[in-house]
Amino acid sequence: MEIRGLVKIAGDAVARFWPLRTFIHHNPLVSLESIPFHEAVRLACRRAGARGYLPCKVYRGYLAVGRIQCSHLDNALAAVARDADVWVGEGRVSHLEVLRAVLVDGFGCPEGDDVVVDDADIDALCSRLGVVGEVSQTDRNMAEVLEDQAALARDITLSQWCDQALGTRIVQQVNDELIKWCAAFLDEGHAVWAMPGRQRGFYRAWRALSAYEWSPCGILDSRRKIASLPDQPEDCLRDSLSGMGVPYPRWADYLAAELAVLPGWAGFIRWRAEQVEYPWQKAFPMSLVEYLAVRLWYERELVSQACRTHLGIEATFEGLSTYMHCRSYEYVSGKARAAGRRCSDEIDRVTLTRRETAHRLVRLARALNIEPAILRQAEPGSLAKLVQWLDGFAEPHHGPIWLEAFEASYQDELVGTLARTVGPGVPAGSMDLVRPQSQSIYCIDVRMEPFRRHLETLGNHETFAFAGFFGAPIRLRPWGTHRETEQCPAVTKPRNEVREIPRSYHDHVVATHRSRAGILYTVRALVHDLRENVATPFVMVESLGWFYGMLLVGKTLWPGAFARLISWCREFWVPRVATSLTVDKLSAADIDEMIMAEQRAVVWKTLRAHRDTVSSHITPSIVEAVRQQAIQGDTALNGELVAHGRKLGLTREVLAGIVDELRQRRGLDERSVSHQQESLSRTGFTLDEQATTVETLLRMIGVSSNVARLVLICAHASTSTNNPYEAALDCGACGGNAGMPNARLVAMMANNPQVRDRVRARGIVIPSDTHFVAGQLDTTTDRVELFDLEDVPATHRRDVARLKEDLHEAGRLTSQERYGRLPDGRARARLSLVADRVQTRSTDWSQVLPEWGLSGNAAFIVGPRRLTRGLNLSGRVFMHSYDWRLDPGGRWLEVILTGPQLVCEWIALEHYFSTVDNEVYGSGSKAYHNVVGRLGVMSGPWSDLRVGLPRQTVISGTTAFHEPMRLLTVVVSPRERLDELIARHELLRHYYCNEWVHLAVVDEGRFYRFRSVNGWTPISSTLSSHRVGAAEERERVEWNA
Amino acid sequence: MDVSLILFMPLLPLAATLVVLRRSLAGQRRCAWIAFGAFVLAFVIATAALGLVTMHGTWTVRLYEPGTVASWVLPLGVHVDRLGGVMLVLIAGLGTLIFRYSLSFMYLDPGYGRFLALLGLTTSTLLGLIVSSNLLMLFACWQLLSCLLPLLAHNLGHVPTRRSAVTTFWWLRAGDAVFLLGIAIAYALYGTLEFDVLFARAAEDPGVIRIWPGVDVAGPTAVTGLLLIGAMTKSAQFPLHVWLLRSLYAPTPVSALLHAGIVNGAGYLINRLAPLYGQSPLTLHAAFVIGALTAVFGAGAMLVQTDVKKTLAFSTIGQMGYMLMECGLGAFSLALFHLIAHGLFKATLFLNCGNVIHEARLDPATPVVGRDDDVGRMSRLTLVAGVAGTLLLPAIILLVAHGAFRFPLLASQGEAMFLFFIWVTSSQAILTLSRLRVVASWNVAVMMLAAMVAVMATYLVGAARFSEFLYPDREVCESFFAAAAIGRPLFDAVVILAAAAIVLGWMVMYVRSGAEELRSWPWIRRLGSQLYVLLLNEVYVERMWAGRGRRVHWAGREVGGEAAGDRSARRRVIRAGRHVAFGMLLGGWAVVGLVPFGIFTGLIGILLTGTDAVLRSAVLAVVAWGALSGLLCEYALRVIGHRVRVQL
């Protein structure tokens, strides 16, 4: 196969890494979703050495406090327990009991083993245990060699082999080099002096520069070797692989093992290589092939150098295999020495094993309340059986069991709660007949749940949930900046572009804003330039360093007040401008007109800026003539223009110069015009698109009639300072951005009478007295800001004011609830105090935990709000409004399960893995973070790019705040419909059959669990099914009414 | 107010330490606030102390009789002058702020209490160092800092961090050993370690040391030279800066404290021993050369860094180089001025270093291929005006400074040097302004220039006033400059060379903005690439040291072995290590540091009569002492590391 193809296969093993500017929660094992969860975890454990479950100690802690119940543990164990038992003395011990004892008592795990056991017991047992299969040293060596031979070039690379066998540090050396070069190449504007020659691609840039290096990693004669490298990275990679003699069938595995060494950088390169439109990738291309070519070159050189000096053999796969085989004793003892182990002699090890076994047996007996004396007298056969059971249930088997039990405990609790609410006593849906005071649509985010709950208690407010981009995937160009953001889930690509433009009544402010912002920019650039220079930072620091002292004091001692002061000053200096969004599509004529107007402005500005002209002499006809000339291209200047120019006092040469400048630097040529045209034609939505967006939104959340007077579309965002992970707190459905533009856009669409007409034609009636208003909830401070209030009709002012009040109050109540959950917060703190604390928290630069964010998420409920209304779900569930009765074809459900559910699964598993092994899947403590290249973080001065969530986001001190479990999706819908979808979608099959996501369904008022083996099984734990059924029945009656 | 309060001031953060070392996390949090109160109190007292010494002059209290046994065992004394007062305010202030920052920043860390305790201990030590009344106490604090820094790396369960902590430790201890030697020689020469007496005796009879038959060195030069080398390690001067980069594995607040408070060691030390340094021109010249090298190296390497913390670390190295250069030019007070400004600046940047992503979100950079689009093509008029403005305007600023504020232009070489730097900086500012061209209107540009002139003038006046405050006696100040003076032709050559290089650089920048050809000259491109590679590899210093280090550093493998199977043995090691570590932490320095020190200085004092053999044996003894305490400390570090890992 083509080497690129092999690299692509190998690259699937590393998870993509998005730059931190838009943190995307994703499943780190997404490439393994085609195999069952537990197997995937095992595989990843083998590859990356990561832990796949919490330490057993933690689970035991959960058991002790009742988070896990014994019955669930037994259920989970039932899957692995055999129906067998042994007699010990007079008592009978079943397999299940033994396994449970092992889990509950934890004597299989390394960390909990400090119980003192009487030596006499152990001695006695040892003698009874008899001869455990003793293996000679040679055989053991041979077994080890065989195992290592199998692993070489499949799981471990040659450099790792050298490190293991010879005690070298080749991996470290190669990593250091690669980190240095990757950071230099992938830098996105941090370094003042960027790496030269990057536009030629990573491999060539590296080759050009490293040729100047003085013997990298001590490679001899490196300059000549680098100079003679092939021109194409593919050739270099192939040369290295064949030079190391890796057998062709193992190439893909070998490359995957190489990529797994620095998964962060590799993941980022993989992501970047796939983004063909990404400006940095366009300018400075890099791919995994180039990365691997460079990596393997270093490795090959270092390995061959090491093998030659240490062993005197050629560093090829064959050579190493032969060495292991022929000189096995030397190999094994060398390996032990490199690992810092003494080569212990044979007898010791046998005795040790036997004593350890005896120790475990004694512990088992104690756990099962069997006297040691009885154990000592038990038959050797029974003892052997027990030992066999214990050996067969080693520590790696514990994690899955614990996890299943843990999940079952939470799921039972949740399902039980849900079942109770649909029972009698709760006025489910009684308000449906009355027109609600307001309706509001929130994101599916778990943090919306407490807010919605509190809002609903404050009045007749109805709330819904929909993915936070509200069905309008857009590329946004905010006003006043050069950046563009993609406001949609990471898996989709936006087709429409939307610009933020100032409202025309604010034009005078715009001018002030522009010039003031320009001055601010200049000052900042000035300080930056002086700071980052060889000769100037010294005096600059001496003269300006003192001002930083004010910042230091203010930000540390009075963060809240200082932030207010700063923002006040900024507002004062650069006034805020009211803006609007370009919703509607432009016609071709409009586009041309706009471009022309823009060009005329540019030409006029350029002419005026020219020193020889007098601005009052510039007439529209001259401007037009110059514009035409510039657009038409570099033909000779036409006579009319020259005549005009003469009037202005410009010679032919000067005019030519101006035209040239316009073309070269101001973008007035055919290409940029057509580019502009294209970009403008992508701007906005057609009426049809708008109607579809609004219809989809309303239909999916199950609103077809009874629309309130005021509908709030509420996006969310967050506020934190000094936090590299701030995007992780923003809206995941908007690709890690604030969702406000999407909310504003959809509200604008829905307020358009033409759109409403079309929507009505499709069967959804929006009354003419309904107004949509956009808002944004700040999840750190729980404040809602409403936008575009200038568009609110006079009739609705009252409603808005009331809504605002309720939103404010709901925010305060939410803060109070959330504050109690924070590690340094207090439950039931005073409302006013909490608001202040929460506000300060969001502006405090020393705060590593501005909010818990999405931590704690555990379930995804797809169904009407009736199911969850009035329930305290502690901010742990994602919710998506959905009514299957309004979705006859199951089309919306399909969208929900393949779109939002995917986002939820990614979020849940990102949290899961970051919690269970924060060092591998997470990014470690924030205290050591070091932002590199403006795109990611390293820990300390040199490290791999850290992926995943920081420790502080999921772990509180030494306990896990986020309880790591897989997502449970609860759908209110008939089962057949889900069967159909599962059969149709591979993604869903992977999720449910491979148990990456648990699925439960509420069908006809009963709860069912989907199991990969035996399909739908009714959940019958604590619910009385008839009661639920009755409630559902009544609900249906109400619905039909 | 009773002035003896000041004596207890350094102990306040230490008390805070003891308060925080509690078991439960909630308890620690509560106590941390009390500890913060202690810090604030320390700051208030420091401010009061500064006011006091400003009004009443230097103030010294000793808890011992100089020359007795007590002066060797417990040489506690307080000596606060204006220098000490200023430094006290700085350190107490920074310590308070960083402690407050760590209160929330490290809150969710498993080693919260330990971290805060270490922070308190470190601040205490720094304050102790400042108020020391004799070289012995100063050294005790100085070397305690060397022991504390590796512990402050905090994340000792992480293998690279632990390795770096050990590296840091070795570097600093090596510096300490030389430092100690310097002190030993000072004692041998002058028979005392009390600052005032020492200075008086040195002024009376500087003494001579024979290093080798035929090679004599003046006493002050030998002492200050050795102390300078010791200070160079703490202040991360050029070839000895490696540990500073390694220390970035520590939590962010530690970096802030380190870069704002601890690396200033050299600047403070030279000011503290100013009379001695004023007597040794050779040391000052060496300081100038080392400082200049470091400044260029640090600022150069900073340009190619791609991550925040290393950028800041190299910036610190450059700034420390500049500080030492200032000392080498005789402007001791300006060095202090610099280190305060730099401390505030760098602490802010470090504490705010997570903000980069926020900035990148607001303003993502776009790749620049080929020429910089910002640099507009300039007409000849603009070019000429720019060059003229760049060269002339700063000169005008300086003349105004000279005329209006009576700033002694060209009165001494040192001051001329600074004016030169000011000129360079303001030219760069003008260049940037014209390059950006964002400011369309002239009046805004003029406003900015005026603002710049104002800033510069304030700076000049501020620096001059500060100098007067610190050294009220103008003659003293001038004597430093005189000591630092170099031969006129040499000085002129240096200035002309530097000026030429900088003017050339400016010309290149201007030409580049107008002409493409320069960029495409192949040899320039090649030279640029070579320089880039050189800087990216940090001039290979680290690798050279690493090559040496591998042989020296015999204990390459982990104690106990990470893969060791025997669990109970490891636990035993940990348990034993806990005691050792604790001992090291609190009482260790007295045992490891002072007792051998007493023995060795005693030995030297008895035996040193100018013979080189004794001197050499003293060197050996000091190195052996350093190694011994080093091994103990390294062992303790590893054990703590294991403990941390097990805890997680």
Side-chain angles (χ1 to χ4, degrees), chain A residues 715-730:
Chain A
H716 66 102
S718 68
T719 316
S720 53
T721 26
N722 199 19
N723 177 12
Y725 284 83
E726 60 173 30
L729 300 176
D730 281 349

Side-chain angles (χ1 to χ4, degrees), chain A residues 613-620 622 644 647-649:
Chain A
T613 54
V614 184
S615 53
S616 58
H617 288 178
I618 304 171
T619 59
I622 298 174
H644 277 310
K647 258 183 252 163
L648 259 178

Side-chain angles (χ1 to χ4, degrees), chain B residues 231-546:
Chain B
M232 267 170 68
T233 49
K234 273 246 161 57
S235 281
Q237 297 298 316
F238 171 50
L240 308 178
H241 65 270
V242 174
W243 69 271
L244 191 69
L245 295 171
R246 298 257 156 214
S247 75
L248 290 177
Y249 279 108
T252 308
V254 173
S255 295
L257 183 65
L258 180 62
H259 288 246
I262 297 176
V263 289
N264 298 327
Y268 170 72
L269 188 81
I270 291 176
N271 270 288
R272 171 52 76 218
L273 301 177
L276 272 189
Y277 277 89
Q279 274 179 290
S280 32
L282 194 62
T283 313
L284 291 182
H285 297 334
F288 174 74
V289 173
I290 293 165
L293 254 178
T294 310
V296 172
F297 165 74
M302 172 186 74
L303 300 182
V304 301
Q305 299 306 318
T306 54
D307 62 296
V308 188
K309 285 191 177 174
K310 281 216 289 296
T311 307
L312 291 179
F314 275 110
S315 149
T316 301
I317 291 173
Q319 300 281 355
M320 287 301 115
Y322 185 74
M323 182 189 77
L324 196 67
M325 200 175 89
E326 286 178 325
C327 291
L329 286 167
F332 295 170
S333 58
L334 202 58
L336 203 70
F337 188 78
H338 184 91
L339 75 82
I340 297 171
H342 171 254
L344 297 173
F345 171 75
K346 201 43 69 65
T348 313
L349 291 189
F350 255 111
L351 297 183
N352 204 24
C353 75
N355 217 31
V356 183
I357 292 289
H358 179 74
E359 283 160 21
R361 288 184 89 197
L362 287 183
D363 182 21
T366 41
V368 180
V369 188
R371 69 185 255 186
D372 188 348
D373 224 20
D374 261 3
V375 185
R377 211 162 32 164
M378 297 178 186
S379 67
R380 192 167 304 136
L381 183 72
T382 331
L383 190 68
V384 171
V387 174
T390 310
L391 297 180
L392 288 180
L393 200 76
I396 295 170
I397 297 176
L398 294 185
L399 283 177
V400 169
H402 178 59
F405 306 115
R406 312 238 160 269
F407 204 81
L409 195 68
L410 292 179
S412 70
Q413 292 177 351
E415 296 193 9
M417 231 25 207
F418 301 122
L419 296 177
F420 174 71
F421 264 96
I422 294 170
W423 170 59
V424 169
T425 307
S426 34
S427 338
Q428 171 64 40
I430 293 171
L431 178 72
T432 304
L433 284 181
S434 57
R435 181 178 68 87
L436 287 172
R437 300 213 304 189
V438 278
V439 186
S441 62
W442 273 103
N443 51 5
V444 175
V446 167
M447 221 168 69
M448 282 201 164
L449 287 180
M452 201 176 72
V453 172
V455 167
M456 284 297 162
T458 323
Y459 158 60
L460 284 175
V461 175
R465 292 284 168 279
F466 186 76
S467 181
E468 271 167 35
F469 170 77
L470 213 57
Y471 295 103
D473 190 352
R474 197 158 172 82
E475 272 174 31
V476 174
C477 226
E478 266 153 25
S479 75
F480 298 153
F481 279 121
I486 49 175
R488 188 63 202 234
L490 191 61
F491 173 75
D492 288 351
V494 168
V495 169
I496 288 170
L497 252 170
I502 284 166
V503 171
L504 193 74
W506 260 239
M507 296 306 278
V508 168
M509 274 190 166
Y510 270 116
V511 175
R512 223 176 76 177
S513 63
E516 292 269 299
E517 308 87 67
L518 192 69
R519 200 176 255 262
S520 53
W521 286 350
W523 68 270
I524 284 196
R525 232 179 17 213
R526 210 164 43 235
L527 198 68
S529 297
Q530 275 168 345
L531 198 58
Y532 178 83
V533 170
L534 193 68
L535 289 176
L536 191 67
N537 286 303
E538 293 146 26
V539 204
Y540 302 109
V541 176
E542 181 137 0
R543 187 174 310 160
M544 276 187 291
W545 286 121

Side-chain angles (χ1 to χ4, degrees), chain B residues 12-13 65 75 78 120 143 257 264 277 303 328 342 558 579 609 642:
Chain B
L12 276 169
E65 195 68 33
V78 171
Q143 62 140 352
L257 183 65
N264 298 327
Y277 277 89
L303 300 182
H342 171 254
E558 304 297 319
H579 300 299
T609 44
H642 276 293

Side-chain angles (χ1 to χ4, degrees), chain A residues 20-21 110 113-114 169 177 180-181 183-184 187-196 199 209 212-217 279-280 283-284 337 339-341 481 483 518-519 521-523 525-526 529-546 548-549 551-553 555-557 665 721-724 726-727 730 736-737 823-824 844-849 925-935 938-942 951-952 956-958, chain B residues 29 36 94 97 100-101 104-110 153-155 163 245-246 248-252 295 299-300 302-311 318-319 322 326 334 337-338 340-342 344-345 347-349 351-369 371 373 376 379 421-422 424-425 428-429 432-433 435-439 444 448 455-456 459 526 528-533 535-537 540 543 556-557 563 567 571 648:
Chain A
L20 277 190
R21 289 191 300 273
D113 211 1
D114 44 9
R169 279 199 198 161
E177 289 296 312
K180 181 176 83 188
W181 289 114
D187 174 44
E188 297 186 356
H190 180 90
V192 179
W193 186 352
M195 180 170 168
Q199 58 275 16
L209 287 183
Y212 297 125
E213 259 188 325
W214 168 58
S215 164
C217 312
W280 290 93
F284 310 131
R337 200 166 42 242
R341 262 195 324 246
T481 63
R483 73 201 156 103
I519 293 173
Y521 173 77
T522 312
V523 171
L526 188 63
D529 260 29
L530 292 181
R531 216 167 83 186
E532 258 129 49
N533 194 301
V534 178
T536 56
F538 312 117
V539 171
M540 179 259 162
V541 163
E542 262 180 32
S543 52
L544 294 182
W546 302 88
Y548 283 79
L551 284 183
L552 185 63
V553 174
K555 282 185 160 196
T556 312
L557 296 184
R665 300 183 36 80
T721 26
N722 199 19
N723 177 12
E726 60 173 30
D730 281 349
N737 293 302
D824 48 349
D844 187 357
W845 68 343
S846 63
Q847 186 53 258
V848 278
L849 184 74
S925 171
K926 275 184 172 178
Y928 313 105
H929 279 177
N930 176 14
V931 180
V932 57
R934 287 164 65 102
L935 60 93
M938 303 194 290
S939 284
W942 301 273
R951 185 191 161 91
Q952 280 88 350
S956 168
T958 46
Chain B
R29 177 83 172 174
F36 176 61
L94 277 176
L97 292 173
R100 170 68 191 84
Y101 185 91
S104 6
F105 192 75
M106 298 300 287
Y107 181 50
L108 294 175
D109 196 274
H154 193 61
N155 189 18
R163 285 209 184 106
L245 295 171
R246 298 257 156 214
L248 290 177
Y249 279 108
T252 308
M302 172 186 74
L303 300 182
V304 301
Q305 299 306 318
T306 54
D307 62 296
V308 188
K309 285 191 177 174
K310 281 216 289 296
T311 307
Q319 300 281 355
Y322 185 74
E326 286 178 325
L334 202 58
F337 188 78
H338 184 91
I340 297 171
H342 171 254
L344 297 173
F345 171 75
T348 313
L349 291 189
L351 297 183
N352 204 24
C353 75
N355 217 31
V356 183
I357 292 289
H358 179 74
E359 283 160 21
R361 288 184 89 197
L362 287 183
D363 182 21
T366 41
V368 180
V369 188
R371 69 185 255 186
D373 224 20
S379 67
F421 264 96
I422 294 170
V424 169
T425 307
Q428 171 64 40
T432 304
L433 284 181
R435 181 178 68 87
L436 287 172
R437 300 213 304 189
V438 278
V439 186
V444 175
M448 282 201 164
V455 167
M456 284 297 162
Y459 158 60
R526 210 164 43 235
S529 297
Q530 275 168 345
L531 198 58
Y532 178 83
V533 170
L535 289 176
L536 191 67
N537 286 303
Y540 302 109
R543 187 174 310 160
R557 233 170 278 144
R567 262 181 267 134
R571 221 174 298 133
L648 295 179

Side-chain angles (χ1 to χ4, degrees), chain A residues 319-362:
Chain A
L320 299 186
S321 290
T322 322
Y323 166 75
M324 282 194 278
H325 192 78
C326 299
R327 288 147 78 180
S328 62
Y329 184 77
E330 184 187 330
Y331 166 68
V332 172
S333 57
K335 198 172 154 188
R337 200 166 42 242
R341 262 195 324 246
R342 265 184 316 124
C343 238
S344 56
D345 51 345
E346 216 168 323
I347 305 150
D348 251 344
R349 197 185 277 192
V350 172
T351 326
L352 201 69
T353 328
R354 207 186 292 167
R355 285 187 72 83
E356 262 185 21
T357 312
H359 184 258
R360 283 192 302 171
L361 275 180
V362 174

